[in-house]
Amino acid sequence: MFQLADFSVSFGTATALRRATLDIRQGDRLGIVGESGSGKTMLALALMGMAPDAAKIGGRLTIDGQDMTHASERTWQQMRARRVAMIFQEPMSALNPLRRIGDTMMEPLIVHEGLSRAQAQARVLALFEEVGIPDPAARLRMFPHELSGGQRQRVLIALALACNPALLIADEPTTALDANVALRITDLLVRLARERGMALVFITHDLAAVARTTKDIVVMYGGDMIERGPTAQVLAAPAHPYTQGLLAARPDPTVPPRDATGKRRRLPTLPGTVPPLAALPQGCRFSGRCSVELPQCAGTRPTDHAVDPDRSAACHLLGAAP
Amino acid sequence: MWYFIFRRTAGFVATLFVVSAVVFSVMNILPGDPALTILGLDATDDALAALREQLGLNQPVLARYVSWVWNALQGDFGISHSFRVPVSELIAERLPMTVSLAVAGMIFTLVIALSLGIGAAARHRKVGDWGVMFISQIGIAVPAFWLSMLLVLLFAVKLRWLPPGGFAGWSDPVAAMRSLVLPTIALGVVQSAVLARVTRSSALEVMRQDFVRTARASGLSRRRVLWRHVLPNALVPIVTIVGMQFAALVTGTIVIENVFYLPGLGRLIFQSISNRDLPTVQALVMLFAAIVVTANFVVDLLYVVIDPRLKART
């Protein structure tokens, strides 16, 4: 349904997203993993046609076979909410503070589907029921500040689902929430995707959440998609040095926090930090921080190499070894 | 919330009393003997003394203040020295003129400023935005009396589209509106230029917030997002300025009414000052001050209407 081919987003000389290729089908549950600045949010915004005005877009984006690469704002308005919807990171600030929840919820239904207020309200109540909001009728009259963070995120999910989108993008939906609330929200997203046959793109830096929610995973670094495959396999045996480093940096509960001499163990970390977009290496974006360095790494962009029939990684190491 | 409203109302009443005391004191400190002004330089001492007695000028200051306030509360501001009629009649006669002008100026300001301000914010850092910023800069810099004269020269003298001045009341609504057009523009241009800039920057601030992205992600048009989501959230600073501007518009009528020969309160206060007509001046200054204080009071109450979060906090 949604296809990206060699899709790039750049600002002047800085490339936020480089030649991304992606194919999202009905029922897919795809995790996008990466650090801040890896391009994962830009990818999500691009799928919504909401890349900043200053962005230069290259490549091709098609939705249901329709070329949307340079589609007008009006065309995108028809796509948003009905074909692709999105929930955002900050449930606290993502709702208009001056509007009652009911008015915010009913607006897209009235605008897009031409429902009357009564019809829209009935739909909203059903949606609230579906996403597990208790006492839905009372919530309609409330203002956002009267709800908890978890409740607000459920409202935002209901809002995104209002016009039955084929694809739901969740951009770090749980980062701002308590751990136990976050768990319930991720489980809710999976349940909704299954029940509605809706594709889900789950963007996060939380590997545990990805493991729970998604079937497939794409790892991003510096605007490149560097590794992809079924979530379980990639997390069990990562092929790209960056993914390996990312997994090694997770705290392991089976390792005691102090070693034999009583010194505190330090978590393994990736050396260095992500360079600013404009200063990324031209070749492999990870060169310079990588534990292995081949002569071609800094200058030549690695292509995708198959690891398994349905797995690939963009790393020169995989090309070198037959 | 009720406590908030009660507190603001109490503050409003207290402010009005302080204002009345200040107005009264200032008027009494002014040099000049009202009796002398009324009777002229040739008056005999006996006549002056009798008139002072009749006007109550021999009573202690405090007693005169109390009786002024007490009478004013009942709508009695004394007799005008120069017009020889009750001041309240003078005010009642001219109030509709000034209110019409101030309200027209306010509507003009709001319509122009909100559309320019929101329009500029929507075209941030593009030609439209720069254009609005440039025009509003000029609008702020132009003095109202000078603009009035230019408008009269162009539209009344040269093109003869509109009357150069005067106002014959609302009995003929078309003529009334026609005579209000130029004064309204002259009065509103500066205010709308200021307000357009406030609206623009306030809207730009709101547009950065997350819920605007949510609204766009719901497939709402830019227009709808701007007017239904951004503008209401940008209103708090806008309403603050509008409150101050309403006061500025009311006092601005003094200049505009004199330039366009409009029979309103602004012209009346100008004439009364020239005639040293103390009761009239005092009543009018008090009235203008009361309008300013009321505008601020209304703004305070509007905050609660605009932002439901304030209800919980206050």
Side-chain angles (χ1 to χ4, degrees):
Chain A
M1 301 184 300
F2 292 77
Q3 279 178 309
L4 288 174
D6 275 339
F7 189 80
S8 303
V9 177
S10 57
F11 301 88
T13 54
T15 307
L17 195 62
R18 185 164 69 162
R19 301 178 67 182
T21 298
L22 199 61
D23 194 355
I24 303 167
R25 289 169 224 269
Q26 194 183 350
D28 275 358
R29 289 201 309 279
L30 176 70
I32 310 270
V33 181
E35 294 168 68
S36 321
S38 60
K40 52 195 199 305
T41 296
M42 193 52 67
L43 174 70
L45 290 177
L47 283 170
M48 294 286 293
M50 282 168 59
D53 290 342
K56 223 181 121 247
I57 288 168
R60 195 174 152 84
L61 162 61
T62 52
I63 299 181
D64 305 324
Q66 184 183 350
D67 186 353
M68 295 295 290
T69 319
H70 298 287
S72 69
E73 175 69 17
R74 197 164 289 264
T75 316
W76 271 113
Q77 277 164 24
Q78 301 305 311
M79 258 338 152
R80 289 180 205 140
R82 288 193 260 192
R83 296 303 297 160
V84 51
M86 185 163 174
I87 56 176
F88 297 97
Q89 205 177 117
E90 281 295 336
M92 307 312 273
S93 54
L95 285 166
N96 187 335
L98 306 188
R99 294 191 136 204
R100 289 176 199 278
I101 300 292
D103 293 332
T104 299
M105 285 294 304
M106 289 188 284
E107 189 176 21
L109 289 167
I110 294 169
V111 170
H112 288 303
E113 310 205 348
L115 298 187
S116 70
R117 277 188 72 84
Q119 290 169 319
Q121 184 161 337
R123 277 274 286 279
V124 171
L125 290 175
L127 282 163
F128 277 3
E129 204 105 343
E130 191 180 354
V131 300
I133 290 174
D135 199 1
R139 296 286 181 272
L140 290 181
R141 287 188 300 276
M142 288 190 174
F143 287 99
H145 70 270
E146 296 173 301
L147 299 180
S148 69
Q151 292 298 320
R152 283 189 227 187
Q153 194 58 288
R154 281 175 201 265
V155 169
L156 285 163
I157 293 171
L159 180 65
L161 296 179
C163 299
N164 300 313
L167 167 65
L168 177 65
I169 305 170
D171 185 8
E172 308 217 17
T174 57
T175 313
L177 301 175
D178 290 343
N180 58 335
V181 181
L183 209 62
R184 272 186 253 144
I185 294 288
T186 46
D187 289 349
L188 170 68
L189 288 173
V190 174
R191 198 195 82 210
L192 291 168
R194 280 218 186 100
E195 286 174 0
R196 291 171 160 251
M198 173 180 71
L200 176 69
V201 168
F202 191 88
I203 297 175
T204 184
H205 52 244
D206 180 354
L207 292 170
V210 170
R212 278 179 77 85
T213 46
T214 62
K215 292 190 284 197
D216 296 286
I217 188 173
V218 169
V219 182
M220 293 191 67
Y221 181 87
D224 277 3
M225 295 181 164
I226 55 168
E227 180 161 6
R228 64 178 81 214
T231 309
Q233 293 177 34
V234 172
L235 293 184
H240 195 285
Y242 172 71
T243 320
Q244 291 164 0
L246 205 60
L247 283 166
R250 285 188 307 173
D252 182 347
T254 61
V255 177
R258 289 170 197 281
D259 63 16
T261 62
K263 268 182 70 182
R264 228 171 217 293
R265 277 181 219 270
R266 304 202 57 165
L267 275 174
T269 51
L270 288 165
T273 53
V274 187
L277 282 183
L280 283 169
Q282 281 308 302
C284 174
R285 298 298 203 194
F286 193 50
S287 71
R289 289 181 77 193
C290 188
S291 53
V292 196
E293 200 79 36
L294 299 176
Q296 65 269 41
C297 281
T300 317
R301 178 174 186 255
T303 48
D304 281 347
H305 295 286
V307 181
D308 278 335
D310 49 359
R311 282 184 62 192
S312 69
C315 178
H316 289 302
L317 282 173
L318 299 166
Chain B
M1 183 179 87
W2 291 110
Y3 175 64
F4 171 81
I5 291 176
F6 170 76
R7 233 176 40 202
R8 288 302 151 107
T9 312
F12 169 63
V13 174
T15 313
L16 278 182
F17 269 102
V18 172
V19 167
S20 73
V22 171
V23 169
F24 186 83
S25 320
V26 169
M27 289 301 160
N28 278 276
I29 292 167
L30 285 180
D33 180 351
L36 197 64
T37 318
I38 295 170
L39 294 179
L41 289 171
D42 301 333
T44 62
D45 285 351
D46 284 352
L48 285 174
L51 185 59
R52 286 197 197 106
E53 185 64 36
Q54 189 202 326
L55 292 174
L57 292 172
N58 293 332
Q59 286 170 21
V61 173
L62 195 64
R64 280 191 284 140
Y65 171 67
V66 170
S67 82
W68 176 61
V69 170
W70 181 246
N71 291 330
L73 283 176
Q74 295 163 41
D76 175 11
F77 292 94
I79 311 282
S80 159
H81 294 167
S82 50
F83 293 90
R84 316 270 164 173
V85 289
V87 174
S88 49
E89 270 179 33
L90 284 177
I91 292 178
E93 225 169 74
R94 283 148 210 255
L95 194 61
M97 169 77 251
T98 301
V99 168
S100 310
L101 183 54
V103 168
M106 196 74 253
I107 293 171
F108 174 84
T109 302
L110 285 174
V111 169
I112 299 286
L114 291 187
S115 25
L116 286 186
I118 293 287
R123 290 166 190 76
H124 188 36
R125 296 202 181 130
K126 290 185 192 149
V127 181
D129 186 19
W130 292 327
V132 168
M133 292 303 275
F134 180 72
I135 292 170
S136 64
Q137 189 66 63
I138 293 177
I140 291 172
V142 170
F145 70 90
W146 183 72
L147 178 66
S148 312
M149 292 190 287
L150 287 190
L151 288 172
V152 169
L153 271 179
L154 180 61
F155 292 103
V157 178
K158 234 186 145 81
L159 297 172
R160 295 184 179 278
W161 288 352
L162 295 161
F167 185 76
W170 283 103
S171 48
D172 180 357
V174 177
M177 299 245 246
R178 275 168 54 88
S179 30
L180 276 179
V181 171
L182 293 182
T184 301
I185 295 174
L187 188 61
V189 160
V190 178
Q191 307 302 339
S192 35
V194 173
L195 191 62
R197 290 178 153 243
V198 173
T199 306
R200 172 185 173 272
S201 58
S202 182
L204 283 177
E205 194 131 322
V206 173
M207 282 162 70
R208 277 196 285 274
Q209 291 182 31
D210 289 343
F211 68 83
V212 176
R213 199 173 48 175
T214 310
R216 277 194 69 207
S218 307
L220 306 180
S221 66
R222 277 179 199 265
R223 207 186 162 79
R224 195 178 175 92
V225 171
L226 276 172
W227 289 97
R228 298 289 188 89
H229 292 261
V230 173
L231 181 61
N233 278 279
L235 272 184
V236 165
I238 293 175
V239 164
T240 308
I241 302 292
V242 166
M244 286 156 53
Q245 290 194 313
F246 187 72
L249 285 172
V250 170
T251 47
T253 57
I254 297 177
V255 171
I256 299 298
E257 284 177 2
N258 277 296
V259 174
F260 287 96
Y261 290 99
L262 303 176
L265 296 177
R267 207 163 148 63
L268 179 63
I269 200 171
F270 192 78
Q271 291 166 332
S272 323
I273 292 171
S274 314
N275 297 334
R276 298 188 191 286
D277 185 350
L278 268 193
T280 312
V281 175
Q282 193 165 310
L284 286 174
V285 172
M286 186 62 215
L287 184 63
F288 278 106
I291 291 172
V292 173
V293 177
T294 309
N296 286 325
F297 174 63
V298 171
V299 165
D300 277 344
L301 297 186
L302 275 180
Y303 289 148
V304 190
V305 178
I306 293 170
D307 194 338
R309 286 169 297 183
L310 288 175
K311 269 185 211 160
R313 235 180 283 146
T314 50

